[in-house]
Amino acid sequence: MREWHDRRDLLGYTVDELRDLVQAGIDSGPSIDAGEVFAGLREKLRAHLSDDRSRRPDDT
């Protein structure tokens, strides 16, 4: 029990704060698969980089 209290004090969260954080997560809606999120981000980055290259003047 003492270990838990010490750890809790180091992190700075009370039990009520942790409950509120968990509830906020629940209230935020269903989770999204991380693989899908990262795949979408990769696609956006590719499109952005491709767009930047097409706008850049030829350096030759």
Side-chain angles (χ1 to χ4, degrees):
M1 188 69 152
R2 183 180 311 140
E3 226 178 279
W4 177 80
H5 281 282
D6 292 344
R7 228 180 290 134
R8 181 199 64 195
D9 292 342
L10 284 174
L11 296 175
Y13 292 111
T14 66
V15 172
D16 288 335
E17 289 170 324
L18 290 172
R19 283 188 186 120
D20 290 343
L21 290 169
V22 169
Q23 191 59 53
I26 292 168
D27 293 343
S28 70
S31 62
I32 301 170
D33 179 65
E36 293 176 25
V37 172
F38 283 109
L41 290 173
R42 281 187 208 98
E43 187 57 37
K44 285 182 182 180
L45 179 60
R46 281 188 195 106
H48 178 76
L49 292 175
S50 176
D51 190 44
D52 280 354
R53 287 185 186 125
S54 67
R55 291 182 185 187
R56 190 176 303 155
D58 192 10
D59 292 332
T60 58

